[in-house]
């Protein structure tokens, strides 16, 4: 509702037999996609990865010494993140920046992100299994792979993601159990306790009293916390970032703004007549302007790019991991499983029964393939949020 006008709402359905209905359906999709584009950039992308990772980086550098095993484990996952976030604040999410001038939310963009953080963000739901459960996209089932039965069986992000989540967790488990063979070592590690305390009480201070924060008392607690941080910085960011140009570079496939109301929303006689006579013009007026579309296309091309010196998860071992033969062996297992995942994803994309990733006009789902060459490839999972 606006002023004295009641809320306007209408349901649109696909129409193949009625021309007017078909054009209304196209326009309705543009409106929905414009809202979803804003949510994607400001919540799924900026808030859940770039923004929420900063407290982990700051606390790690303030509370963990450079030789601490958890600092060494997390260090590659924090590469370039603070730098790229600073750049984003200068040109993308700043006042009158790309997001405000080219997305439907306009000047309310960062306010939406802040409100979404307040209402939706919970550390315990950043882990993939809990994320799927909380969104109603899975239910617990001890007989199903990874203990989850998916609501949508052919859900590429969840199917590939659960394999990758399990591989990451196995690597973290081997690493943590090596350095913390007894439970009491967790609580007696002052640096580690101060690190987790700062993340909760300072980095996310406005949520410090929430009951959902995990405790840090046992190796299993630490495994869950660290795997979640690594998942967000690597796989979740890869899934929401590196396919952006492929899906949205052609802006009618994913417009970022709807500049006009729906043609059926209280139209004047002239507006309705114009829509009936030239529906394609009405749709073009709804789409982003040429300058908005061009700017977004250029930005998405940059964001979807892998640099030539990209560091992919599990590809090359860090020097301090190779110093310990047990960790070196665990990393070899980790790297080998990631190579196996590449084959699993290729096989799934070739399966004609998986219609959300195979078929005429369907883009194969490769966003969680661990490795990639440079450029816009639509695949590759870097260690960190570096673009």
């Amino acid at each position: 509702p606006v002023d004295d006008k009641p809320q306007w709402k209408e349901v649109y359905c696909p129409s193949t037999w009625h021309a007017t209905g078909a054009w209304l359906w196209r326009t309705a999709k543009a409106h929905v996609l414009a809202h979803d584009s804003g949510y994607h950039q400001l919540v799924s992308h900026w808030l859940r990865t770039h923004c929420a990772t900063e407290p982990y980086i700051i606390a790690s550098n303030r509370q963990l010494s450079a030789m601490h095993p958890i600092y060494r484990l997390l260090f590659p996952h924090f590469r370039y993140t603070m730098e790229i976030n600073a750049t984003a604040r200068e040109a993308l999410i700043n006042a009158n920046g790309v997001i405000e001038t080219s997305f439907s939310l306009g000047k309310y963009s960062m306010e939406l992100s802040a409100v979404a953080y307040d209402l939706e963000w919970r550390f315990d739901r950043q882990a993939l299994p809990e994320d799927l459960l909380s969104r109603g996209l899975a239910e617990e089932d001890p007989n199903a792979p990874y203990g989850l039965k998916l609501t949508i069986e052919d859900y590429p992000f969840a199917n590939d993601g659960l394999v990758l989540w399990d591989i990451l967790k196995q690597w973290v488990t081997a690493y943590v159990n090596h350095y913390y063979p007894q439970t009491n070592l967790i609580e007696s590690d002052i640096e580690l306790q101060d690190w987790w305390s700062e993340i909760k009480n300072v980095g996310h201070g406005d949520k410090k009293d929430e009951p959902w924060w995990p405790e840090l008392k046992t190796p299993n607690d630490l495994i869950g916390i660290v795997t979640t941080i690594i998942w967000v910085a690597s796989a979740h960011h890869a899934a929401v970032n590196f396919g952006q140009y492929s899906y949205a570079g052609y802006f009618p496939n994913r417009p970022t703004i709807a500049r006009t109301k729906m043609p059926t929303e209280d139209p004047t006689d002239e507006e309705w007549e114009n829509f009936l006579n030239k529906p394609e013009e009405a749709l073009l007026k709804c789409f982003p302007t040429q300058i908005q579309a061009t700017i977004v296309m250029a930005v998405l091309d940059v964001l979807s790019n892998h640099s030539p010196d990209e560091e992919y998860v599990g590809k090359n071992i860090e020097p301090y991991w190779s110093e310990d033969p047990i960790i070196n062996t665990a990393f070899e297992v980790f790297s080998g499983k990631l190579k196996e995942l590449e084959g699993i994803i290729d096989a799934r994309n070739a399966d004609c029964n998986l219609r959300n990733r195979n078929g005429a006009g369907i883009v194969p789902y490769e966003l969680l393939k661990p490795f990639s060459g440079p450029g816009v490839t639509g695949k590759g999972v870097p260690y960190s949020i570096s673009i």
Side-chain angles (χ1 to χ4, degrees):
V2 179
D3 299 327
D4 59 341
K5 292 177 63 177
Q7 181 183 6
W8 179 89
K9 50 189 173 182
E10 187 171 335
V11 174
Y12 297 89
C13 297
S15 179
T16 56
W17 55 271
H18 185 236
T20 302
W23 280 104
L24 288 172
W25 174 244
R26 291 186 183 104
T27 311
K29 286 197 292 181
H31 276 258
V32 172
L33 286 163
H35 287 298
D36 192 52
S37 294
Y39 185 92
H40 168 84
Q41 289 294 3
L42 293 160
V43 180
S44 302
H45 188 192
W46 166 253
L47 170 60
R48 289 191 60 174
T49 65
H50 287 260
C51 187
T53 300
E54 286 191 359
Y56 314 147
I57 299 172
I58 295 169
S60 296
N61 282 288
R62 280 168 47 84
Q63 302 298 343
L64 300 177
S65 64
M67 66 179 68
H68 193 283
I70 298 305
Y71 183 87
R72 288 183 163 189
L73 176 61
L74 291 175
F75 180 75
H77 298 284
F78 298 154
R79 176 179 183 253
Y80 294 160
T81 302
M82 298 301 283
E83 290 91 336
I84 200 66
N85 285 4
T87 302
R89 289 184 169 99
E90 289 177 352
L92 294 179
I93 62 171
N94 57 312
N96 296 315
V98 171
I99 298 294
E100 285 197 1
T101 57
S102 303
F103 283 72
S104 282
L105 288 153
K107 66 180 181 180
Y108 300 105
S109 295
M110 292 312 295
E111 183 176 347
L112 173 95
S113 186
V115 170
Y117 170 77
D118 182 48
L119 297 177
E120 293 187 3
W121 191 90
R122 292 175 47 158
F123 181 87
D124 61 330
R125 289 183 178 173
Q126 305 310 298
L128 178 62
E130 285 69 22
D131 172 38
L132 296 171
L133 289 168
S134 69
R135 293 192 288 131
L137 291 166
E139 56 186 34
E140 293 183 353
D141 182 350
N143 298 316
Y146 312 107
L148 292 181
K149 184 179 187 303
L150 295 179
T151 307
I152 303 169
E153 291 184 10
D154 182 12
Y155 181 10
F157 167 70
N159 285 308
D160 296 355
L162 286 169
V163 182
L164 181 51
W165 167 267
D166 189 59
I167 293 171
L168 291 169
K169 190 171 183 180
Q170 288 181 45
W171 155 241
V172 173
T173 300
Y175 189 99
V176 168
N177 286 339
H178 174 61
Y179 286 105
Y180 296 92
Q182 287 96 36
T183 296
N184 67 303
L185 295 175
I186 297 290
E187 287 195 89
S188 63
D189 188 330
I190 297 173
E191 286 188 25
L192 192 65
Q193 294 298 327
D194 288 346
W195 168 77
W196 185 232
S197 176
E198 177 165 328
I199 288 173
K200 291 190 301 180
N201 299 314
V202 181
H204 293 283
D206 45 352
K207 292 180 178 283
K208 62 184 176 62
D209 297 321
E210 296 287 354
W212 40 255
W213 283 105
E215 293 185 328
L216 182 52
K217 294 182 177 180
T218 68
N220 280 340
D221 294 338
L222 181 58
I223 289 165
I225 290 167
V226 170
T227 306
T228 298
I229 292 173
I230 289 174
W231 168 263
V232 169
S234 58
H236 182 94
H237 179 259
V240 299
N241 183 70
F242 291 108
Q244 291 189 96
Y245 188 75
S246 300
Y247 284 95
Y250 177 64
F251 76 90
N253 190 53
R254 196 166 177 77
T256 58
I257 191 169
R259 295 185 296 127
T260 60
K261 64 181 182 180
M262 284 297 297
T264 54
E265 183 182 350
D266 302 326
T268 64
D269 291 341
E270 183 181 4
E271 287 173 338
W272 184 247
E273 190 68 24
N274 289 339
F275 169 70
L276 293 177
N277 290 334
K278 293 186 176 180
E280 69 280 6
E281 284 193 7
L283 183 58
L284 285 171
K285 288 179 180 177
C286 180
F287 280 153
T289 64
Q290 286 182 321
I291 188 64
Q292 287 172 326
T294 304
I295 289 172
V296 171
M297 289 164 65
V299 169
L300 295 185
D301 180 52
V302 172
L303 294 181
S304 301
N305 241 291
H306 288 295
S307 67
D309 67 339
E310 189 76 272
E311 295 183 3
Y312 298 98
V313 64
K315 188 172 184 180
N316 297 313
I317 193 167
E318 294 289 311
Y320 29 80
W321 297 342
S322 62
E323 294 168 0
D324 188 310
I326 293 177
I327 298 302
N328 187 61
T329 301
F331 181 86
E332 288 179 357
V333 173
F334 173 51
S335 184
K337 288 181 179 293
L338 291 170
K339 292 181 176 71
E340 290 176 10
L341 176 57
E342 295 250 316
I344 291 171
I345 292 174
D346 286 338
R348 287 173 172 174
N349 286 330
D351 187 344
C352 60
N353 294 314
L354 300 178
R355 298 182 181 180
N356 286 332
R357 60 198 305 162
N358 180 286
I362 300 298
V363 179
Y365 190 82
E366 297 185 318
L367 292 173
L368 293 177
K369 287 190 76 171
F371 310 118
S372 172
V376 179
T377 64
K379 59 185 175 183
V381 181
Y383 275 111
S384 65
I385 302 164
S386 57
I387 186 67

